[in-house]
Amino acid sequence: MADPDLADAIRLVIVGSSCALELATYLGAPAVFTRTPVPGDAGYPMATISLNTNPANEDGINDFRPLLSYSIMVHGSNQSIPATQYRTASEIAYCLRTLFHRQRNLTLSGWGIVNQRCVGPVDQPSTGQITTRALTLNVRIAQLASS
């Protein structure tokens, strides 16, 4: 059984939250992307959500309990005027941590959410004038096996 993908659900929670207010817009919506590379004309600050980065299972005999891990990265450009998006990226990242850590805001049809833990944000090495703050969202889900 393939693990379900929560990237789109994570994106919807971010886009519908106050954390998205400081993000740039892309095609009329907050700049939150579930795939990389992002479009070349996307503005900063933006957020990216990875695929499940560390597939793991804690299954029992009669149940399935995947542990899903997603990297949520917040990127800012220090080519902005004034060059303060590094602060904005940090503020957004801390907002996202609060949004997801020990909350019940994700849903997945056919599965129960057992817990959500968000770790970070952690500074990432800068690439040129791009600053990045990384979070790891761990979501444990459960489903009873059919007999």
Side-chain angles (χ1 to χ4, degrees):
M1 166 185 287
D3 290 336
D5 184 13
L6 279 171
D8 288 334
I10 294 167
R11 181 186 183 280
L12 286 174
V13 171
I14 294 172
V15 167
S17 76
S18 62
C19 301
L21 296 175
E22 294 294 323
L23 293 170
T25 57
Y26 184 77
L27 299 179
V32 180
F33 301 96
T34 57
R35 302 289 183 265
T36 55
V38 299
D41 59 343
Y44 292 93
M46 71 171 71
T48 57
I49 304 163
S50 71
L51 297 174
N52 185 5
T53 60
N54 188 26
N57 290 296
E58 299 173 347
D59 299 343
I61 293 173
N62 294 316
D63 64 325
F64 302 106
R65 286 177 293 194
L67 176 60
L68 311 174
S69 295
Y70 295 87
S71 291
I72 303 172
M73 311 289 248
V74 180
H75 312 276
S77 172
N78 282 331
Q79 294 175 340
S80 61
I81 309 252
T84 58
Q85 280 194 8
Y86 67 94
R87 285 190 184 109
T88 304
S90 288
E91 290 167 2
I92 295 168
Y94 277 103
C95 183
L96 293 175
R97 182 186 192 287
T98 301
L99 179 66
F100 286 110
H101 187 64
R102 298 184 66 208
Q103 300 299 315
R104 291 183 180 264
N105 51 12
L106 294 172
T107 58
L108 187 60
S109 180
W111 293 86
I113 305 292
V114 176
N115 68 19
Q116 293 176 203
R117 286 185 41 239
C118 197
V119 180
V122 177
D123 290 346
Q124 298 297 295
S126 294
T127 305
Q129 291 296 310
I130 305 303
T131 184
T132 302
R133 305 294 181 263
L135 301 121
T136 301
L137 176 60
N138 297 305
V139 182
R140 182 172 287 110
I141 61 176
Q143 181 183 68
L144 291 177
S146 55
S147 307

